[in-house]
Amino acid sequence: GHVNPAVTFGLFVGRKVSLVRALLYIIAQCLGAICGAGLAKGFQKSYYNTYGGGANTVSDGYSKGTALGAEIIGTFVLVYTVFSATDPKRSARDSHVPVLAPLPIGFAVFMVHLAAIPVTGTGINPARSFGPAVIFNNDKAWDDQWIYWVGPFIGAAVAAIYHQYILRGSAIKALGSFRSNA
């Protein structure tokens, strides 16, 4: 299931999801994030207020450029892993090695969090950043909100283009015909 607008956007760029479906998924993901943040506030109000509603903000000591870079790189890693782990050609080629796609995807998310939490709180999911910003409604969360949309969408687009059009593209396959068989 798609729970991340950046992944959905990457799949759209990679021509695996139609524009209408991608837009509807992104709207549903954002509405789900708002509902989730509302439930978190309703059930754990003291923790919710203590931890700033879970809203992502750029940490003190980091510039917005550094935060944007962290979001781009982190989302690239995530979306590239999604493409690689769910590639149907990979499944056929490596059929002797059973691979569960959630395992490498979850590991990629874990590794990105280790690196990016100190910088941005690790957005890499625009809906996850948007829902808490809507419910908590803090100025700082809204000031930085663009980073949690622009960064992941750039990272997702680059990952999709790299995987679909460079690694799996016909131009790379054509280069193989220039190799000598001797």
Side-chain angles (χ1 to χ4, degrees):
H2 298 217
V3 294
N4 185 337
V7 172
T8 301
F9 182 71
L11 292 172
F12 168 71
V13 171
R15 300 169 68 178
K16 295 182 179 287
V17 175
S18 70
L19 176 62
V20 172
R21 183 168 288 203
L23 291 174
L24 291 174
Y25 278 8
I26 291 170
I27 291 167
Q29 292 156 351
C30 289
L31 291 173
I34 292 168
C35 291
L39 286 171
K41 181 178 182 178
F43 285 117
Q44 295 288 332
K45 189 149 184 137
S46 64
Y47 287 117
Y48 180 85
N49 291 326
T50 300
Y51 294 109
N56 286 332
T57 59
V58 176
S59 299
D60 294 334
Y62 292 98
S63 70
K64 292 189 186 301
T66 301
L68 182 63
E71 290 296 314
I72 290 170
I73 293 167
T75 308
F76 174 88
V77 169
L78 169 61
V79 175
Y80 179 76
T81 303
V82 168
F83 270 91
S84 295
T86 60
D87 188 347
K89 288 189 176 182
R90 181 176 195 269
S91 297
R93 184 179 62 239
D94 299 333
S95 61
H96 62 283
V97 180
V99 176
L100 299 171
L103 188 62
I105 294 168
F107 187 71
V109 169
F110 171 70
M111 295 306 292
V112 168
H113 275 75
L114 287 178
I117 280 177
V119 181
T120 63
T122 311
I124 70 172
N125 181 340
R128 186 262 172 259
S129 299
F130 181 71
V134 169
I135 299 298
F136 192 63
N137 203 19
N138 177 294
D139 287 341
K140 184 155 173 56
W142 286 114
D143 289 345
D144 298 338
Q145 189 62 212
W146 70 272
I147 292 169
Y148 300 101
W149 285 88
V150 173
F153 275 45
I154 291 171
V158 171
I161 291 166
Y162 178 67
H163 186 270
Q164 290 297 105
Y165 303 110
I166 295 176
L167 288 183
R168 292 191 60 213
S170 59
I172 296 296
K173 292 175 187 167
L175 290 176
S177 64
F178 293 112
R179 292 189 192 142
S180 171
N181 290 334

